[in-house]
């Protein structure tokens, strides 16, 4: 009867939403970590040759920049692809290799990675709020003994929240500029950026960059 009364007052709605968000976060984690991030396959070279000139918008490549074959897996690398030493494959629009996911973030799973970070941030912020609401501070050893677990949990969740928030903000900034983490960190070593007349030849404006990435 108490459970029914809580349900009538809507007190069970928030815990239910929180559990669903946690479940969604876990499912997104496995989805992003297990899916193909955009590995370049040798058989795709023929398809790329057939698809040339079909209206795909790419920036002008300087004349002295040549697309090359990967020195590790020997596939012809498309522009913005990079070989990942950990995955042992070239990845299209390579952003970075995420040790938490044990997978690369690339062309195919990058948008879903942003969704995962967003859901994870909501869960962590909610967890920080719940942990903080359960704390009441007293300057006594007995209080610390009874609340040490909750205090440690709050500090850990708070640290993870800051990390995820910074990662999400930095990712959204790079996406709005139509660049990747790898390109941002290593532009001086990437031939098609080093020889380009533009600082970022892929930038088409914030709105169009976001639209092309998410839609």
């Amino acid at each position: 009867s108490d459970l029914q009364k809580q349900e009538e007052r809507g007190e069970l709605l928030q815990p239910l939403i929180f559990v669903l968000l946690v479940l969604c976060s876990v499912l997104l984690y496995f989805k992003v970590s297990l899916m193909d991030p955009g590995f370049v396959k040798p058989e795709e070279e023929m398809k790329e040759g057939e698809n040339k000139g079909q209206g795909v918008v790419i920036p002008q490549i300087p004349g002295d920049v040549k697309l090359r074959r990967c020195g590790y897996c020997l596939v012809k690398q498309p522009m913005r692809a990079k070989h990942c030493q950990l995955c042992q494959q070239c990845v299209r629009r390579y952003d970075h290799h995420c040790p938490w996911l044990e997978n690369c973030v690339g062309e195919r799973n990058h948008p879903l990675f942003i969704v995962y970070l967003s859901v994870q941030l909501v869960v962590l912020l909610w967890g920080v709020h719940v942990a903080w609401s359960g704390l009441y501070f007293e300057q006594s050893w007995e209080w610390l003994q009874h609340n040490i677990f909750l205090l440690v949990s709050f500090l850990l969740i708070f640290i993870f929240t800051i990390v995820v928030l910074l990662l999400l903000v930095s990712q959204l900034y790079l996406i709005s500029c139509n660049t990747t983490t790898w390109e941002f960190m290593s532009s001086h070593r990437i031939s098609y950026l080093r020889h380009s007349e533009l600082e970022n030849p892929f930038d088409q404006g914030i709105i169009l960059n976001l639209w092309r990435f998410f839609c």
Side-chain angles (χ1 to χ4, degrees):
S1 61
D2 290 340
L3 189 63
Q4 186 176 1
K5 290 179 180 178
Q6 287 180 335
E7 184 179 359
E8 291 175 354
R9 291 195 299 265
E11 295 177 0
L12 298 180
L13 183 60
Q14 286 190 359
L16 179 61
I17 294 175
F18 181 78
V19 170
L20 289 176
L21 282 173
V22 172
L23 180 61
C24 181
S25 174
V26 172
L27 293 176
L28 282 170
Y29 170 83
F30 283 109
K31 176 65 175 177
V32 176
S33 63
L34 296 176
M35 73 181 295
D36 179 356
F39 294 127
V40 181
K41 298 177 177 58
E43 60 269 20
E44 292 177 350
E45 290 185 27
M46 292 296 294
K47 295 180 181 179
E48 286 182 0
E50 295 173 0
N51 291 335
K52 280 185 178 179
Q54 294 184 3
V56 179
V57 179
I58 60 174
Q60 292 296 322
I61 307 172
D64 53 351
V65 177
K66 296 180 180 179
L67 299 182
R68 64 184 183 86
R69 289 194 177 274
C70 176
Y72 297 96
C73 55
L74 301 180
V75 298
K76 190 174 182 179
Q77 283 187 334
M79 179 162 294
R80 311 188 80 177
K82 182 184 182 297
H83 184 87
C84 176
Q85 298 282 5
L86 296 174
C87 294
Q88 294 298 310
Q89 294 191 67
C90 287
V91 180
R92 293 177 179 274
R93 202 182 183 278
Y94 175 87
D95 189 84
H96 70 283
H97 183 93
C98 181
W100 174 248
L101 296 173
E102 292 189 3
N103 193 16
C104 283
V105 176
E107 185 178 72
R108 293 190 62 189
N109 66 348
H110 200 171
L112 206 59
F113 176 69
I114 299 300
V115 176
Y116 163 69
L117 286 180
S118 302
V119 174
Q120 188 66 59
L121 181 60
V122 172
V123 172
L124 287 169
L125 287 172
W126 200 329
V128 167
H129 171 71
V130 171
W132 178 260
S133 64
L135 285 173
Y136 59 95
F137 295 97
E138 293 181 6
Q139 295 181 352
S140 66
W141 176 249
E142 184 179 353
W143 175 89
L144 185 61
Q145 284 182 316
H146 284 90
N147 293 273
I148 185 65
F149 177 76
L150 186 58
L151 187 60
V152 171
S153 299
F154 170 78
L155 292 175
L156 286 175
I157 296 173
F158 181 77
I159 292 172
F160 286 135
T161 302
I162 296 299
V163 171
V164 173
L165 177 62
L166 292 176
L167 180 57
L168 180 59
V169 170
S170 64
Q171 283 285 307
L172 289 175
Y173 169 75
L174 294 176
I175 291 168
S176 69
C177 299
N178 198 358
T179 188
T180 64
T181 302
W182 173 58
E183 291 171 342
F184 181 77
M185 300 293 292
S186 307
S187 58
H188 60 286
R189 296 192 293 112
I190 301 174
S191 58
Y192 60 80
L193 293 180
R194 190 172 67 247
H195 296 96
S196 174
E197 296 179 358
L198 302 174
E199 184 178 353
N200 180 9
F202 304 102
D203 188 5
Q204 297 178 313
I206 295 177
I207 296 177
L208 191 56
N209 290 339
L210 293 173
W211 175 264
R212 288 185 179 276
F213 182 84
F214 288 107
C215 306

